[in-house]
Every structure is written in C-alpha cells, then in structure tokens.
Amino acid sequence: MNEPEQYTLPGLALSAKSARTREQPISFLIAEALRNPRLINLAAGLVDPLTLPVAECDAIAQRLFADPARGRAALQYDTTVGLAPLRQALLAHIEQLEGVSARQMGLTENDLVVTTGSQQALYLIGDVLIDPGDIVIAANPSYFVYAGALSSLGAQVLTVPMDTDGMVVDEVEHLLARLERDGRLDRVKLVYCTSYFQNPTGLTLSAARRPQLLDIVRRFSKRHRIMLLEDAAYRELRYDGPAHRSIKSYDALNRFTVISHTFSKPFAPGLKLGYSAMPPDLLNAVLQQKGNHDFGSANLTQHIALESLRDGSYHRHVGVLERSYRAKRDAMLEALDRHMPQDGTISWTRPGGGLYVWLALPAGFDTSRGSAFFQQAVSRGVLYVPGAYCFQPDERGAIPTNHIRLSFGQVAPDQIEPGIERLAGVVREQLNTQNSASGTQHFRSPAEALG
Amino acid sequence: MNEPEQYTLPGLALSAKSARTREQPISFLIAEALRNPRLINLAAGLVDPLTLPVAECDAIAQRLFADPARGRAALQYDTTVGLAPLRQALLAHIEQLEGVSARQMGLTENDLVVTTGSQQALYLIGDVLIDPGDIVIAANPSYFVYAGALSSLGAQVLTVPMDTDGMVVDEVEHLLARLERDGRLDRVKLVYCTSYFQNPTGLTLSAARRPQLLDIVRRFSKRHRIMLLEDAAYRELRYDGPAHRSIKSYDALNRFTVISHTFSKPFAPGLKLGYSAMPPDLLNAVLQQKGNHDFGSANLTQHIALESLRDGSYHRHVGVLERSYRAKRDAMLEALDRHMPQDGTISWTRPGGGLYVWLALPAGFDTSRGSAFFQQAVSRGVLYVPGAYCFQPDERGAIPTNHIRLSFGQVAPDQIEPGIERLAGVVREQLNTQNSASGTQHFRSPAEALG
C-alpha cells in the first residue's frame, strides 16, 4: 500500500471553521513552562495542586464502588443533559449561592445541563447561536480561550471597556444603540460577561450593574432575544467583599440569561465538569448539539461530584481553597507593593477573589510574546501571560501591549515574592532604558502582538 | 425585572447549524423505554449492566488515590490531546490488536488523541473537514447518531450498499468515479466505514476489502486527501471468526485513515473515553477545535483507563464480555430460528461480534415509529429500533421501512427468547393481514418514516 515514489501528497481540504481556528495561546505558554521547569510560573491558570481534594475523592470513590448497584450506574451511560440527582443538587447549590429560591429565578433542575467543563457550555452556546458575521459583545480585556472559540465560529467580537466596577454596562447600551442605528441589531446574538473576579483582570461586576445589564439586554431584544451569558467560573473563590447575587438571579422568568459554573476552580479540574442554567428553548438547542458532540459527559465523574455535594466535602473544600488562595493573593499584592516601581505610571488590580491580578505598565511598554520584555522575564526565570492575548483589536486593528496577567493559582506560596521581584526587575530595567519615553500608548497590530 | 404584561417574548435567533440539527431518534426510544419499564428492550445499544467492571474500578481508584502525587495529578487539568502515558499504553494496545508494529503503521503516541467517547472524535473530524454541501460517503444502513451529526454539519451523505462482506467497496469506487465525472470530487471529504460488527447490521468488512477500500480512497485523493474514517467501536467484542487487521493498519505512512476506538463497549461507558489515531495534519486541526470545545476530556477517567490497561483488568474484562455477549448472541439467534416464520421472505444477520442483529422483513412491511407494527410490538411488550432510522434517503428521498435493529446488549439473558417470541408474534400477525401482499418494496418519505 505504499505510495509510488513520484506521488505528491495532496493536503487536506479543511472546513471554513477549521481555517478560522487558531492555536490557543495557552499552548505556547504551556510549552514554554515545560521547556524550562525552573521558571516561576505566574502564567498558569491551573489550580494549586497541593489543595486538590484527594482524600475526599478517595472516600467518595470507595463509597460509590462499595455499592454494586451504584457502582454499575456510575459506569454505565447516563443522559445527554446529565445525571438527574446531580442537577437537583446543583439547583439547591445555586439557590444557596444566590440567597434566592429556584422558583424566583424560574428554574427547575430541567433547566440545567452538565457539560465537559464550563468551556463546553460556552462553546455549545456559541455553536447554536452564531453564524459567521454575527456579533458578540464582550468586555475588553476578556477570557482569551472563549474569544478564540468565538472567532472560530466566525463571530465578530465587539467590546466595551472595563473599570473597577467591571464591564461598563452603559457602554453596552451605547454600542447596542449604535448597532441598531446601523441596522445591525439583528446580528447581535450574545453578550458575554464574567461577572465575578474576571479572568484576566480579577474585577467583579458591581451590584448595581447586574440588573442594569439584564435590563439593557432585554430592551434591545426586539426581533429576537439576545442572550446574556454570565460566566461565573471564579464565583466561589471569594476572599473578601460581598457575595453578589448573579445577573441570572434577576431574570425571574429564565428568558434572557445563561449562567455557567464549573467544578474545576472550586473543587477539581480532573472531574472536568461544568453546569449551566439557561432558558428552555436555548437548552433544547444546546442538548441537540451536545447529542451530536458526545451525548453526555463522563458519568463517573458526575457521580463523584454529586457525592461531594451530598457529603459536605465540596463545601469544606471551598473553605480550604479560600484560605489558601487568600494567603497567596495577599502575598502577591504585598510583593507588588514592595517591589514594583511606585512612580504612578504602574498600577494593578486588588481582586477580592479568583486567581488573577492584572498589571498595567506604562504606555509604550510591550510585554507581548515576541518582545524583549517577555524574553527578559523568561531569562530571569518568570513566566506571565502577555495582556495582548486578552484584548480584541480596536477598530483600527490595534491591541494594547502594556498589560500582564499574573496568576497566584498554581505557583507555590514561597515562589510568589521571588517571582514578582524578578518581574519588577525587568520593569525597572525597561523603565531605565525607555527613561523619558513618550507618553503615547504603543499599539501593535494583532499579528505582531500575538505572534 | 418582570416584563411588562403586554410584552411578547421574541424567539431565539439560532444558527444555521442549530436549525439543521434534529433531535436524535434515540431520545424517543429512551422515552418509550422509560414510559414502560416492563418492555423487553431489544432497542438499547447500552452495554449489559451486570458486566460492568465495578470491582476493577474500585481497586484502581483506591490505588490511584492512595498515592497523593498520583491522586493530585488525576484531579488536575491535563492536556487537550490527552494523558501521555495513556496514549503510550493505547498505542501498545493497538499494536497488539493489529499484530502490526506502530512503526509499520507510521504511528507514535503523538498521533493519538483521547476524546469524550469516540463520538466526540467522529464529531470533531466532521467539524474540521465539512462545510455545508460537502460530501460524506457511508454504508446504507449506517450508525444513525453519526448520520445526525453529519447532517447538522450540513454534509450530504451519499451511500453505498452493504452485503455480507460489509460495505460494498466497488460501489464506493463507482460513486467516486461518478462524482468525478460530475465535477464534484472536490466536495468529497470523508468516507465513513464501521469495519467491525457494524451498528446496525452486525456485519464486518471482509479482509480482502480492507486494503482495497484504502486504495480507492488514495486513488481518488487527487486535489486533496479524502479521509477514511474507520469506526472500530465494536472491534473487541468478538465472539467467533477471525480478528481482522484494521484498514488503518494498511496505511503505512498514516496519511489517509483515522481509526477510532472506545472504552465504552469493551470496558465501561461511564468513563466516557474514546481514542483515535490519525494523520498529523488532521490531528492538528482536531486539537485546535477540541481546544475550543473543552481543552481536554476528563482527566480522572483517563487515569483510571490507564490503570485498567496496566494492571490487566481491561483485558480480563474483555474476556468476561466475550463470554457473556456470545451466550446472549447465541440465545438471540436460536430464538430467531425457533420463532420467526421461515417462509424465505424473512432474514437476519448472524454477527460474529458486536451487539446487534439486523432483521429484514418482507417488502411491504412498515416497522417505523408511527406504524401499526411498532405499536403492536410495544403493546405486546417489546421495543426495537426501527430500521428506517439507520438509512439515508435514496435519490428519490425514499427510505426502506422493513428492517429492525435488534440488540442483545442490555437485555437480561432470560428475556431474549420471550422478546423475540413476542416480536415474531407481531410479524406473524402482519403476514396474515397482508397475506399475499404485493411483492414491491414499500417506501415512505423520510418525514413519514422517521416521524
């Protein structure tokens, strides 16, 4: 069956979607970390390995398999929508997080779907709503993995800025009004908002903006309903400040909002489970699509997740994580206070939860992948996520390059200060080099910034 | 936030793909089984619950979690492509199944991807290759869940018949030649073939046809490579007859063929793991897409699967399944011999493995969902899969309605004969009613047959 020697191998004829799909930048960062294991990794959004619930999962697995009927159920297929008792337990869990009853949110367990991480829910929602050229509104900066997925679906991602109260919802209103005037409102399918301790900024949508954002989406849902996708992945990693109700909790009839949660951040990524509540007509479309993708996520890990909610180990573990990450967050903020130049041109967020601190360097700095700054940081032994990955290009195609996403997630506590100290060294050096550099913001084209 | 009373709720604006996506027929059958739990279920493709490896998974989970480092690794994220030592073990497993070395197949573990069941691999391959209007060639009948996924991607599924040697590969050649004459060869992206104990027929592609099909695909790969997708889900459930090498094993340079395997049939569906080997350029596209879908399947179940290969429990379990299903297959064939009318107008396959027997009733019979025959069967207490679900419409849009897919997978051994006896009763009754019915084949339009 070998080919004749003269045979020239033709290439593949990939789909338009595949041609639109780029490698996730995360791959490059993982490769960089693997190449140099002695780097202090302030890039990885991984959870802290030392806090993973090994003993809890051990006890749960032993209990599950000790009952042959239960063990067999966990090893059999279940449904596309997910294990019914798990969805019931998750609904009760959501009620507890909200302080609002399921009835008041128009929800039953049949409005929930269990997915392969919350990423799958985000993807499926894009897949059932977006045709090439359709519009998604998101904050700038935003979660870069989802931005990549949306681009592969052909979405046009239009952005609004963030401030310390999170996504600037007035700007969402202005943008929608402008799109309506331009006759493009029919192309708007989705507003995406990470409402708690956003990746990459650590910022949270303020209490006042929550019902306001819902109201805006509702008012602009004229010929079709625009969906509001609330990504609550980091919600339960809260170290100080108020426990906000979700945007979803204001959507009393379950018509406009999807909320997606995950087990990866508050419990264990290895279970690879997320769960989302959404309007029934959207859920129906999502389930038909998921029926084609996999007809149901891993059933065994769903049984384990259920038991973690039932036996209290889930909630105990969230408490452990809070204490552990709070200390690491504090260590990072203290190190930044101690080591970063305090000349008024450098600032960073002080998140009340999540895994990230967002560092803004002076205009003119370039922290992106190919930059001298990035190379300097790696050669001094510290890895970060270039902020450029988290931005959508503006109307002129430009992306700010002077930000850095720092994570205290995976890094060992005693490595945080040395990591920040090394990074501050690179910043100081660049400041000296650029000295009295021009105050104008430096932009690069996306290809340069992301390349 | 309640809507004003006069407010008319606008609908969703779903994507074109979502509009193309139908509910999988399997949902209706599951609902039917749930509505009437006393039905003898010869429809379900589920594996036998009594054979699930509970004790094996119990021992594996205890061992995994007893080692804190291993336990933590299993609960953390891994990569999009899947756990490296699992891919190594799977490559060795494939070598063992083939009796051919990985080198002779041009494969390393880096040509393998681990997916959320083999369904996800089938879906992703469609997603990266198919634009609406592109052509997939499949056998008629074929696996209906994949046919649904292909339709949602906008594929045109063109078919070739089956005979007792499986897919008629000469017809694949004739079809490709015709498409080339019509200037449509550029639209052909994929040839789909379930090469072992096919769902729904139980038929296996003969040894001679395997290299022949690869050669056809290679010869028609002129401007681009047509991919040959070999679905080997039932391969290891073999009860008699030869253990054929895969089609993939003839593709010495790993250029034209994907082979997909699963843990669901030979071990446990609850792990929800499949694995596929494919050409590097296709794998690259698949991984970029999977990065958007979920950036990796459940890691915990990958660790369990790895241990099942290492400690021998996987192979022991395949032996248990062989003995159990062989007895059930024999019981079904004996019951058919004993109870079905033997007038020469009724025939069924005698599969050497897998979970299915395919029953062909006389032309003129209508076994589809809305038919009197189906209602009769349900009221007598037996459920089957109407054959119509497994066919693509022919050029006139017609689908044969006189077939039945029978499964001996989930049903208890002592229920097989009573189930077949009930079904034979319905057949006999219809034969009497139709008596000397016309010999012409009865077709219904797809909407009628599938509705």
Side-chain angles (χ1 to χ4, degrees):
Chain A
M1 295 310 303
N2 287 324
E3 287 102 23
E5 285 192 24
Q6 280 73 26
Y7 184 76
T8 304
L9 188 73
L12 292 175
L14 295 172
S15 64
K17 185 205 258 183
S18 189
R20 282 191 300 262
T21 306
R22 302 259 166 70
E23 195 179 12
Q24 290 284 3
I26 209 169
S27 310
F28 140 71
L29 292 163
I30 290 170
E32 196 69 50
L34 287 174
R35 202 162 28 238
N36 190 346
R38 288 163 61 189
L39 284 178
I40 296 181
N41 192 339
L42 303 179
L46 301 182
V47 300
D48 189 334
L50 295 177
T51 61
L52 287 164
V54 174
E56 291 82 349
C57 289
D58 186 18
I60 287 170
Q62 290 197 33
R63 206 161 62 232
L64 269 183
F65 290 126
D67 172 356
R70 184 73 192 278
R72 284 196 293 265
L75 293 175
Q76 184 59 282
Y77 289 106
D78 198 77
T79 51
T80 303
V81 68
L83 192 64
L86 175 59
R87 287 181 288 113
Q88 285 153 11
L90 290 170
L91 187 66
H93 181 60
I94 290 173
E95 287 183 307
Q96 201 179 359
L97 290 173
E98 303 291 3
V100 172
S101 74
R103 213 174 49 79
Q104 287 174 282
M105 297 183 278
L107 292 177
T108 76
E109 71 267 24
N110 295 324
D111 301 307
L112 267 64
V113 56
V114 180
T115 52
T116 307
S118 60
Q119 177 67 19
Q120 191 189 33
L122 303 185
Y123 186 83
L124 287 169
I125 287 162
D127 208 19
V128 303
L129 290 177
I130 293 165
D131 285 315
D134 282 347
I135 294 168
V136 177
I137 297 176
N140 218 16
S142 220
Y143 175 43
F144 57 77
V145 176
Y146 196 39
L150 289 171
S151 299
S152 89
L153 291 165
Q156 222 191 322
V157 182
L158 302 183
T159 61
V160 298
M162 304 273 292
D163 64 19
T164 50
D165 282 346
M167 194 178 193
V168 181
V169 300
D170 284 342
E171 293 289 339
V172 175
E173 179 156 18
H174 298 153
L175 178 56
L176 284 166
R178 197 166 73 235
L179 289 166
E180 187 175 20
R181 281 196 305 277
D182 296 349
R184 295 169 70 203
L185 190 58
D186 282 358
R187 300 310 299 265
V188 180
K189 297 297 186 71
L190 197 63
V191 175
Y192 174 66
C193 179
T194 306
S195 54
Y196 300 89
F197 319 119
Q198 193 224 26
N199 178 1
T201 62
L203 296 169
T204 289
L205 193 69
S206 67
R209 285 184 182 174
R210 290 170 183 254
Q212 196 190 344
L213 182 57
L214 173 62
D215 186 56
I216 292 165
V217 166
R218 191 162 66 74
R219 281 190 286 107
F220 281 89
S221 288
K222 293 179 179 179
R223 299 246 290 269
H224 69 267
R225 266 175 298 146
I226 297 170
M227 287 289 116
L228 173 49
L229 173 51
E230 180 176 24
D231 183 342
Y234 298 95
R235 177 177 197 170
E236 291 167 80
L237 301 182
R238 184 170 61 85
Y239 320 131
D240 19 66
H244 292 297
R245 287 173 57 170
S246 66
I247 309 172
K248 176 79 192 155
S249 72
Y250 295 94
D251 185 13
L253 299 175
N254 184 28
R255 287 180 166 175
F256 295 93
T257 328
V258 182
I259 187 163
S260 90
H261 291 96
T262 179
F263 277 86
S264 297
K265 306 301 176 184
F267 196 66
L271 303 185
K272 200 72 185 189
L273 291 177
Y275 55 103
S276 299
M278 67 187 77
D281 46 0
L282 183 65
L283 181 64
N284 183 52
V286 161
L287 289 180
Q288 291 189 10
Q289 214 54 245
K290 186 166 164 62
N292 287 336
H293 281 220
D294 58 27
F295 55 83
S297 296
N299 190 25
L300 174 58
T301 66
Q302 294 186 56
H303 280 266
I304 292 172
L306 171 60
E307 287 307 303
S308 78
L309 291 166
R310 281 183 172 165
D311 75 3
S313 56
Y314 179 92
H315 294 91
R316 282 192 302 276
H317 191 67
V318 169
V320 169
L321 293 180
E322 268 174 29
R323 288 186 290 280
S324 157
Y325 287 132
R326 184 186 291 115
K328 288 167 75 172
R329 190 259 337 241
D330 290 345
M332 183 168 276
L333 293 178
E334 281 159 23
L336 286 162
D337 289 341
R338 186 167 312 127
H339 297 288
M340 274 293 154
Q342 306 270 2
D343 65 353
T345 66
I346 297 173
S347 63
W348 52 89
T349 56
R350 306 190 81 86
L355 300 176
Y356 309 106
V357 171
W358 182 245
L359 177 66
L361 297 172
F365 267 60
D366 181 2
T367 64
S368 54
R369 176 171 172 179
S371 67
F373 187 100
F374 186 85
Q375 293 309 323
Q376 249 331 89
V378 168
S379 71
R380 287 195 185 215
V382 60
L383 191 65
Y384 63 82
V385 172
Y389 286 130
C390 309
F391 285 105
Q392 291 291 317
D394 69 13
E395 283 152 11
R396 293 164 304 143
I399 284 179
T401 61
N402 58 320
H403 298 82
I404 279 177
R405 189 193 81 173
L406 297 169
S407 174
F408 46 87
Q410 190 195 22
V411 63
D414 63 355
Q415 294 295 293
I416 292 175
E417 186 172 4
I420 294 295
E421 194 174 359
R422 292 175 193 186
L423 188 67
V426 184
V427 170
R428 213 176 295 277
E429 210 164 82
Q430 292 272 318
L431 275 177
N432 292 339
T433 312
Q434 308 205 345
N435 213 345
S436 54
S438 86
T440 55
Q441 183 124 4
H442 180 219
F443 286 96
R444 303 178 73 177
S445 76
E448 281 176 296
L450 300 178
Chain B
M1 293 314 300
N2 286 325
E3 287 101 23
E5 285 192 22
Q6 280 74 27
Y7 184 78
T8 305
L9 188 74
L12 293 173
L14 295 172
S15 63
K17 186 206 256 182
S18 189
R20 282 192 299 261
T21 306
R22 301 261 165 70
E23 193 179 16
Q24 291 283 3
I26 209 169
S27 311
F28 140 73
L29 292 162
I30 290 170
E32 194 71 49
L34 287 174
R35 202 163 27 241
N36 190 346
R38 287 163 62 189
L39 284 178
I40 296 180
N41 192 339
L42 303 179
L46 301 181
V47 300
D48 190 332
L50 295 176
T51 61
L52 288 163
V54 175
E56 291 82 348
C57 289
D58 186 18
I60 288 170
Q62 291 197 34
R63 204 161 65 230
L64 269 183
F65 289 126
D67 172 355
R70 185 73 192 280
R72 284 197 293 266
L75 293 176
Q76 184 59 282
Y77 290 105
D78 199 79
T79 50
T80 303
V81 68
L83 190 67
L86 176 58
R87 286 181 288 115
Q88 285 154 10
L90 290 171
L91 187 65
H93 180 60
I94 290 172
E95 286 182 307
Q96 201 179 2
L97 290 174
E98 304 292 4
V100 173
S101 76
R103 213 174 51 78
Q104 286 173 285
M105 296 183 277
L107 292 178
T108 76
E109 70 268 25
N110 296 324
D111 301 308
L112 265 63
V113 56
V114 180
T115 52
T116 307
S118 60
Q119 177 68 19
Q120 191 189 32
L122 304 186
Y123 186 82
L124 288 168
I125 288 162
D127 208 19
V128 304
L129 291 178
I130 293 165
D131 284 316
D134 282 348
I135 295 167
V136 177
I137 297 175
N140 220 14
S142 218
Y143 175 42
F144 56 79
V145 176
Y146 196 39
L150 290 170
S151 298
S152 90
L153 291 165
Q156 224 190 321
V157 182
L158 302 183
T159 61
V160 298
M162 306 272 293
D163 64 20
T164 50
D165 282 344
M167 194 177 192
V168 181
V169 301
D170 284 342
E171 293 291 337
V172 175
E173 178 155 20
H174 299 153
L175 177 56
L176 284 166
R178 197 166 74 235
L179 288 166
E180 186 175 23
R181 280 197 307 276
D182 296 348
R184 295 169 70 203
L185 190 59
D186 281 358
R187 301 308 301 264
V188 180
K189 297 295 186 75
L190 197 63
V191 175
Y192 174 65
C193 179
T194 306
S195 54
Y196 299 90
F197 318 120
Q198 193 224 27
N199 177 359
T201 61
L203 295 168
T204 289
L205 193 69
S206 68
R209 285 184 181 174
R210 291 170 181 254
Q212 196 190 344
L213 181 58
L214 174 62
D215 186 58
I216 292 165
V217 166
R218 192 163 68 74
R219 280 190 286 107
F220 281 90
S221 288
K222 294 180 177 178
R223 300 247 288 270
H224 69 267
R225 266 176 298 145
I226 298 170
M227 286 290 115
L228 173 50
L229 172 51
E230 180 176 25
D231 183 344
Y234 298 95
R235 178 178 195 169
E236 290 167 80
L237 302 183
R238 186 171 60 88
Y239 319 132
D240 20 66
H244 291 296
R245 288 173 59 169
S246 66
I247 308 171
K248 175 79 193 153
S249 72
Y250 294 95
D251 185 14
L253 299 175
N254 185 28
R255 288 180 166 174
F256 294 93
T257 328
V258 182
I259 186 162
S260 88
H261 291 96
T262 180
F263 277 86
S264 296
K265 306 301 178 187
F267 196 66
L271 304 185
K272 200 74 187 188
L273 292 177
Y275 54 102
S276 300
M278 66 187 79
D281 46 1
L282 183 65
L283 181 64
N284 183 51
V286 161
L287 289 180
Q288 291 189 10
Q289 215 54 246
K290 186 166 164 64
N292 288 335
H293 282 219
D294 58 27
F295 53 84
S297 297
N299 190 24
L300 174 58
T301 64
Q302 294 186 57
H303 280 266
I304 292 172
L306 170 59
E307 287 308 301
S308 77
L309 291 165
R310 281 181 173 166
D311 74 3
S313 57
Y314 180 92
H315 294 92
R316 282 192 303 275
H317 191 65
V318 169
V320 170
L321 292 181
E322 267 174 31
R323 287 186 291 280
S324 157
Y325 287 130
R326 183 186 291 116
K328 288 166 73 172
R329 191 261 332 246
D330 290 346
M332 184 168 276
L333 293 177
E334 281 160 23
L336 285 162
D337 289 341
R338 188 168 312 124
H339 296 288
M340 276 293 156
Q342 307 270 2
D343 65 351
T345 67
I346 298 172
S347 63
W348 53 90
T349 56
R350 307 189 83 85
L355 300 177
Y356 309 106
V357 171
W358 182 244
L359 177 66
L361 296 173
F365 267 58
D366 180 2
T367 64
S368 54
R369 178 174 170 178
S371 68
F373 188 99
F374 187 84
Q375 291 312 324
Q376 246 335 84
V378 168
S379 70
R380 287 195 186 216
V382 60
L383 191 65
Y384 62 82
V385 172
Y389 285 129
C390 309
F391 284 106
Q392 292 292 317
D394 68 14
E395 283 152 13
R396 294 163 302 140
I399 285 179
T401 61
N402 57 320
H403 298 82
I404 280 177
R405 188 192 83 174
L406 297 169
S407 173
F408 47 87
Q410 190 194 21
V411 64
D414 63 355
Q415 295 294 294
I416 293 174
E417 184 171 6
I420 294 295
E421 192 173 2
R422 292 176 194 186
L423 188 67
V426 184
V427 170
R428 213 175 297 277
E429 210 164 83
Q430 292 271 317
L431 276 178
N432 292 341
T433 311
Q434 307 204 346
N435 212 346
S436 55
S438 87
T440 55
Q441 183 127 0
H442 179 218
F443 285 96
R444 303 178 73 177
S445 77
E448 283 177 293
L450 301 178

